[in-house]
Amino acid sequence: MQSKQYVTGIDGVRALAVLGVIIYHLLPTTLPGGYLGVPLFLLISGYFVTLQLVRQMDQTGGIRLTQFYLKRLRRLYPVLIVMLAVTTAYITVFARDLLHNIKSTIITNLLWVYNWWEIGHGQSYLDRFNSESPFTHLWTLGVEAQFYFLWPLILFLLFLVLKKRTRIKWAVFILAVASAIEMAVLFDQNNLNRVYYGTDTRAFSLLLGAWLALCWPIDHLNAKLTTPAAKILDGVGIGALLITLLGFFTLPGQSSWTYRGGMFFYSLIGMLLIATVVHPGSHMNRWLTNPIFAWIGQRSYGIYVYQLPVMVFYERVVEIGQHPLLNALIECGLIMVISELSYRFVEQPLAHYQWRHLPNSIRHWIDFKMHDWRQWFKIGPGVIICFIALCGLMLPSRPIKKIAEQTRIEKSKQATAQKNQQIAKGKTTKVNVNSKSLQKKYGLTSAQLKAASQLKITAIGDSVMADASRDIQEIMPHAYVDAEVGRQGNATPRVIKDLKAKGQLQKIVILNLGTNGAMNTQTIDDILNAIGSDHQIYWITPHVPTRDWEQTVYDQIKQTAKQHSNVHVIDWNQAANNHAEWFGQDKVHMNEQGNVYFTSLIIKIILKVNKK
């Protein structure tokens, strides 16, 4: 340890936390619970902030609020401001469609209330497909900053009213449990933003860290433990570390258990991990101390802040689906390089800067006579970036312009809803199977058109299915289509049960799932069990070249078909390769031509299987 409060092993915990978050963003199917790195960050903040505040109160009887607040602002603001300026400048020049709500985003971040703004206006943190924002992850900074502002006041009040340390400990723990209960009560599967971004519903991690500081202050821990006691402490630490890593691999963010106790449980485990790392009698501190963890841990704030802009901008120009691991490594490299530059030229210089000299520094920099070309070469890029960012902020805020595919999907959903009502009433339109235009359009013979028009099917899917639904029902008028934008696999069993209850689950079921992410084995089993083995299932492989889960979902569907004789593959992914002309600008949703080929492929595969 470098000082009484600096524990090198905590850099190791920070490294694990930030790596978990980054891998979760880059490869969500590989590390579905990597977002649990955030509770680790919050636990660390809660512990060390409370430790410092209690130490001040023990020594002076009060808290030096101004000094405390200024120290936190000097730590948080510089990197945040640089990131906001650089990201806004990039968006202004290269990604104007992301300027929507940019003023609100910047202002709420600077005021540390971005997480609350996100609840009402932002995108789900778990949604990595629909026009992802490079700012979404900054909700965490809002939660931390609000804690930094409120917690000294709350803690001082607790000491003032409750007086006894035991009562204060219980009060803090009860507050943590109340926060977790609130998350469970407010949990809504269809809208996770409230519980995911809310300061009140995420406070339990911070409060558990605070409770640990009150119960387990590093200053009062005995370094000279007996051998059995040290072994117990190390065993708890190793167990907590392994359970934490297990959570990274097994706890998906869409699971209801995550919000009904799961995240609280892993925060408790993380608290045990931190407790063993800070204890001088444990070996956990030494085991989590190494040059790599130290480098990552010391730069973890910058790494966290810069990660999403790098990913969003990189994935706008590179199709990562075919080589997800290679592209993930490239993105990691870019994040680390940018974070190192930030650490050297922003964080470290400003950490030691005497802010009382700021007026003199400003006068010095605006005195053009005192600078030669080399100094201007240093400050020039910053001036240009700030100027471009300001230009972007001054541009009028316009609503996001809907792309053609979005407009068509909305119209298709309306038309499909009407057709579904007719099907439910037993009314269907007739297909002119001798129509030359239909035969030419879909590449089908008169006999194929006739067979297709008689098929009774249920099609369940996401936005891709919603887009193609009008074509599907044009050829298969008995097709009942249930498709929703953004539908995840784990939401599908409930949809299937509802269709069964309404009598709309036909013997032939078409599934178009996987556009929005991979599914675990349990989800796939739940889908198949909900449908039943007496149904024939046709599962469409998704074409998602811009996302890393494309190959994973493809393999899942192929493997499922091998294991179940009633599951058949409609290989849209293979058919769509090398046909960029079938798709819109997002390279995932089809244009009108693509919808025709999509529908034709479905019909041909179903008719082919039925002939066997």
Side-chain angles (χ1 to χ4, degrees):
M1 292 182 289
Q2 296 176 358
S3 69
K4 283 187 177 181
Q5 199 169 351
Y6 191 87
V7 183
T8 55
I10 290 296
D11 280 335
V13 180
R14 288 194 182 99
L16 292 173
V18 77
L19 288 174
V21 173
I22 287 178
I23 296 172
Y24 166 73
H25 282 146
L26 290 173
L27 302 167
T29 56
T30 301
L31 209 67
Y35 63 90
L36 290 172
V38 171
L40 287 178
F41 280 125
L42 299 180
L43 283 163
I44 292 170
S45 295
Y47 180 81
F48 285 101
V49 164
T50 305
L51 199 66
Q52 177 186 342
L53 294 172
V54 171
R55 188 179 293 160
Q56 277 189 26
M57 284 189 285
D58 287 342
Q59 293 173 354
T60 67
I63 299 172
R64 295 187 290 272
L65 281 177
T66 302
Q67 183 184 27
F68 176 83
Y69 289 150
L70 288 176
K71 183 178 179 181
R72 293 301 174 285
L73 292 177
R74 284 197 294 265
R75 167 68 175 142
L76 294 175
Y77 256 134
V79 174
L80 176 65
I81 291 173
V82 170
M83 178 270 192
L84 292 174
V86 173
T87 303
T88 304
Y90 183 94
I91 290 172
T92 302
V93 177
F94 300 108
R96 291 272 182 98
D97 57 300
L98 295 178
L99 282 174
H100 180 64
N101 283 330
I102 191 68
K103 291 178 186 175
S104 299
T105 299
I106 300 299
I107 291 170
T108 52
N109 268 295
L110 294 177
L111 294 177
W112 306 110
V113 293
Y114 181 63
N115 62 312
W116 291 106
W117 185 87
E118 280 274 56
I119 288 173
H121 304 84
Q123 181 186 24
S124 169
Y125 186 73
L126 305 170
D127 187 350
R128 294 248 28 225
F129 184 73
N130 296 307
S131 302
E132 187 174 24
S133 166
F135 303 107
T136 303
H137 64 309
L138 297 181
W139 71 272
T140 314
L141 303 188
V143 171
E144 286 210 43
Q146 291 158 42
F147 174 77
Y148 293 151
F149 179 77
L150 295 172
W151 185 238
L153 304 175
I154 295 172
L155 190 62
F156 182 77
L157 186 62
L158 288 174
F159 270 84
L160 187 67
V161 174
L162 300 179
K163 299 185 184 340
K164 291 186 178 181
R165 193 69 57 96
T166 303
R167 295 175 182 172
I168 296 168
K169 293 175 187 176
W170 276 109
V172 173
F173 187 77
I174 289 170
L175 286 173
V177 173
S179 172
I181 292 173
E182 185 184 12
M183 171 179 273
V185 170
L186 295 181
F187 168 74
D188 179 2
Q189 184 72 62
N190 297 317
N191 181 17
L192 296 178
N193 284 13
R194 175 61 183 89
V195 295
Y196 200 91
Y197 294 135
T199 305
D200 50 346
T201 50
R202 298 303 296 264
F204 57 81
S205 299
L206 290 158
L207 291 168
L208 286 176
W211 182 73
L212 182 65
L214 292 165
C215 300
W216 197 266
I218 190 173
D219 315 70
H220 299 87
L221 300 177
N222 184 10
K224 297 179 180 179
L225 295 178
T226 62
T227 301
K231 287 183 178 180
I232 291 173
L233 202 59
D234 290 343
V236 170
I238 293 171
L241 178 60
L242 292 176
I243 293 173
T244 298
L245 294 177
L246 179 65
F248 281 9
F249 283 96
T250 59
L251 190 66
Q254 294 85 5
S255 169
S256 61
W257 188 77
T258 299
Y259 306 95
R260 290 172 174 159
M263 207 178 295
F264 182 71
F265 169 76
Y266 278 100
S267 292
L268 285 171
I269 297 299
M271 183 189 70
L272 292 177
L273 174 61
I274 291 169
T276 61
V277 173
V278 300
H279 198 293
S282 169
H283 295 93
M284 289 299 295
N285 179 43
R286 178 163 57 84
W287 293 339
L288 288 174
T289 299
N290 60 65
I292 296 175
F293 278 4
W295 188 92
I296 295 174
Q298 290 164 10
R299 292 155 181 79
S300 58
Y301 176 50
I303 292 171
Y304 183 86
V305 168
Y306 290 111
Q307 55 161 327
L308 213 54
V310 171
M311 295 177 197
V312 170
F313 298 148
Y314 181 87
E315 292 172 17
R316 284 174 69 92
V317 296
V318 177
E319 292 187 5
I320 66 172
Q322 295 298 317
H323 305 285
L325 182 58
L326 174 62
N327 284 294
L329 291 173
I330 294 172
E331 290 176 82
C332 274
L334 291 171
I335 293 167
M336 297 304 172
V337 169
I338 292 171
S339 301
E340 174 64 18
L341 293 173
S342 173
Y343 185 78
R344 289 191 183 189
F345 299 111
V346 178
E347 293 179 61
Q348 284 299 293
L350 293 181
H352 304 290
Y353 180 72
Q354 299 297 318
W355 288 93
R356 64 178 180 272
H357 297 152
L358 182 60
N360 289 332
S361 298
I362 294 174
R363 284 193 293 270
H364 171 75
W365 283 111
I366 64 176
D367 188 348
F368 300 123
K369 296 179 181 179
M370 296 182 65
H371 302 297
D372 59 22
W373 68 271
R374 285 169 294 188
Q375 288 173 302
W376 279 110
F377 191 75
K378 293 179 182 179
I379 66 171
V383 172
I384 294 171
I385 287 171
C386 289
F387 176 76
I388 296 173
L390 287 173
C391 289
L393 290 175
M394 289 188 291
L395 289 173
S397 181
R398 299 175 181 174
I400 298 175
K401 185 179 180 181
K402 292 181 180 179
I403 60 175
E405 289 73 33
Q406 289 175 314
T407 302
R408 191 175 57 249
I409 288 171
E410 291 178 2
K411 291 181 179 179
S412 294
K413 285 188 66 178
Q414 293 173 2
T416 300
Q418 294 176 358
K419 284 283 184 70
N420 285 346
Q421 289 178 356
Q422 293 177 357
I423 293 170
K425 295 176 181 178
K427 299 177 181 179
T428 57
T429 57
K430 290 185 178 181
V431 178
N432 183 0
V433 297
N434 296 314
S435 170
K436 298 298 182 183
S437 59
L438 279 181
Q439 293 174 18
K440 182 179 180 182
K441 179 180 178 181
Y442 292 99
L444 300 171
T445 66
S446 176
Q448 287 175 319
L449 280 175
K450 183 178 180 180
S453 68
Q454 296 172 352
L455 289 173
K456 292 184 177 181
I457 70 168
T458 300
I460 303 168
D462 46 41
S463 55
V464 173
M465 177 67 75
D467 194 4
S469 59
R470 281 202 289 187
D471 288 275
I472 291 171
Q473 291 183 324
E474 180 180 28
I475 302 301
M476 295 183 286
H478 297 282
Y480 191 97
V481 181
D482 188 308
E484 285 294 334
V485 175
R487 175 170 284 163
Q488 295 279 350
N490 60 359
T492 307
R494 188 168 61 250
V495 174
I496 296 167
K497 291 174 183 177
D498 183 55
L499 288 170
K500 264 189 177 180
K502 293 190 299 185
Q504 295 300 335
L505 192 71
Q506 301 294 343
K507 290 299 181 180
I508 297 177
V509 179
I510 302 172
L511 297 178
N512 175 227
L513 303 166
T515 305
N516 300 293
M519 296 153 283
N520 57 35
T521 303
Q522 184 61 52
T523 296
I524 293 173
D525 289 343
D526 289 343
I527 291 171
L528 298 182
N529 291 333
I531 295 173
S533 59
D534 57 334
H535 292 67
Q536 293 300 307
I537 301 169
Y538 294 82
W539 206 320
I540 304 169
T541 60
H543 178 75
V544 200
T546 58
R547 290 294 180 262
D548 63 87
W549 56 75
E550 181 188 66
Q551 189 62 44
T552 301
V553 178
Y554 185 86
D555 293 340
Q556 286 176 331
I557 294 172
K558 288 280 190 177
Q559 186 63 28
T560 301
K562 286 182 180 179
Q563 296 172 346
H564 299 84
S565 59
N566 66 321
V567 177
H568 315 282
V569 176
I570 299 177
D571 204 341
W572 173 242
N573 180 282
Q574 186 178 33
N577 282 338
N578 303 316
H579 284 287
E581 73 277 8
W582 293 355
F583 296 90
Q585 65 184 52
D586 67 3
K587 304 176 183 178
V588 175
H589 295 94
M590 294 87 69
N591 53 30
E592 293 182 2
Q593 183 184 12
N595 281 330
V596 168
Y597 280 100
F598 182 81
T599 302
S600 176
L601 180 65
I602 291 173
I603 292 169
K604 288 176 180 177
I605 296 298
I606 293 176
L607 295 181
K608 181 180 178 181
V609 172
N610 282 352
K611 281 184 178 180
K612 294 179 180 179

